[in-house]
Amino acid sequence: MVFDKAAIEERQRRAAGAFGDDAPLVLVSAGEPIGKPGGLDQTYPFLVHPDYYWLTGARRSGGILAFEPGKGWTHFVRKVDASERLWEGDVVAPEGEDLTSFAEWLEARRGRPLAALGSSGMLPLPADEALSKRMRERLDGVRRRKDAAEIALIRRAVAATAAGFAKAREVLRPGVTERQLQVELEAEMFRAGAHGVGFETIVGAGDHSAVLHFAPGERVVNPGDLVLIDAGGELEDYTADVTRTVPAGERFTPEQQALYDLVLAAELAAIDKCRVGVEWHEVHRTAALVIAQGLKDLGVLVGDADGLADSGAVALFFPHGVGHMVGLRVRDVGGAAPGRPEGRMCCGARPRVDFPLEEGFLMTVEPGAYFIPAMLEDPERREKYKDAVRWDALDKWLPVGGVRIEDDVLVTASGPEVLTSAIPK
């Protein structure tokens, strides 16, 4: 087991308290493997549902964790059979009741209110959608706070990620390809203890750095290029998420340096806002205002920073949210506070998080400034923001591409702690 019994019992206690005295039956399912099309008995690598994993510490498919008010938790697990041992070796199932007894257990409680979390498609009875949504929001509220065992895993993932970035900086020079940088970075993360990558590594050279999720290819890094690398090592499903933007040669060009300094200032200002009680939209707005003012100072935007943020003009160059929750997978929990509509906009972008920060939250802070032809050449955007952008000034900036800088920030009672601070930027 990844987590000790005390850690799991504490999580289950916190979840039961969040469900409340009016809780229904709550079933949290692990999920089942998904078959590959035309693959006969082959399946995609199984990823357990994070709700189930967090509450049980188990990553085996087929399990169901049941909560019954007044009686607590019962874990139903799929037992290991001879065929599984034949094909997969010495498999160990988590402790719990045999899954074959679950249907009888549930039938004995037929008619009681039922909420389904996790991979609910494997349940034999329909759940109440409204109740399920309410219990999911309550569990999300508990899961957002990282406990000590989670933070310890994330620190190990960060250490492996730091080793990968150091290797990438070592081999980065004109003449290498984006793909070669990816291979060297990932291999070094694995040598440093990572079990895998938390997401597909992003490496973009030159104008590829302005593509938000660029998949590295055979493009050769040229002298004078910016190179953007966004990567994270993963251990036991917990991951880091870091972005650095560096010059291919010894130093930035003047335009690259100006854009880098602007994004770094935005990131540092946003990190400083990562304090208990601060709304995440305020963190995003802080970064957007710095970028708006900086682009005005560089002769790209026209107007005051507040107006450029409120109108959404800054989102032509900073089109994504300032960050997201990270930890158990690269997109950990997130969402909006209960009662808030999903997808509220802020400064022309749609942040992935919409609630005040609490102690124990782990957030990425990743502002960026990009010169993206698809955004800047769009006729509708040109018309809408015709008076906010010096369109004739963009030619010298388009070859720069984009800059993003990202760190993983733990919200503590005494202020933000940057877990990834050892990775140079």
Side-chain angles (χ1 to χ4, degrees), residues 266 269-271 273-274 278-291 309 314-315 318-323 344-353 357 365-368:
I271 288 173
K273 283 286 185 180
C274 290
V278 174
E279 289 281 350
W280 186 247
H281 275 215
E282 184 179 344
V283 178
H284 179 91
R285 183 176 178 80
T286 296
L289 288 173
V290 173
I291 291 171
V314 70
F318 177 29
H320 58 77
V322 74
R344 280 202 311 147
M345 303 292 286
C346 180
C347 303
R350 183 174 286 108
R352 296 179 184 274
V353 165
L357 297 175
V365 177
E366 50 178 311

Side-chain angles (χ1 to χ4, degrees), residues 286-306:
T286 296
L289 288 173
V290 173
I291 291 171
Q293 183 62 50
L295 290 175
K296 176 186 176 181
D297 294 342
L298 292 174
V300 174
L301 288 174
V302 180
D304 67 277
D306 284 298

Side-chain angles (χ1 to χ4, degrees), residues 7 10-11 13-14 54 137-151 154 238 276-277 325-328 332-334 355-363 410-413:
E10 174 60 15
R11 292 178 191 174
R13 184 196 67 78
R14 290 169 57 201
W54 189 82
E137 287 178 345
R138 293 178 184 180
L139 181 58
D140 284 352
V142 174
R143 276 193 52 213
R144 288 183 182 123
R145 290 191 175 209
K146 296 290 167 284
D147 60 32
E150 293 179 288
I151 292 170
I154 293 162
Y238 281 80
V276 174
M325 303 202 89
V326 69
L328 178 45
D332 195 356
V333 192
F355 43 67
L357 297 175
E358 298 180 22
E359 184 178 358
F361 284 12
L362 181 62
M363 314 298 299
L410 181 66
V411 180
T412 77

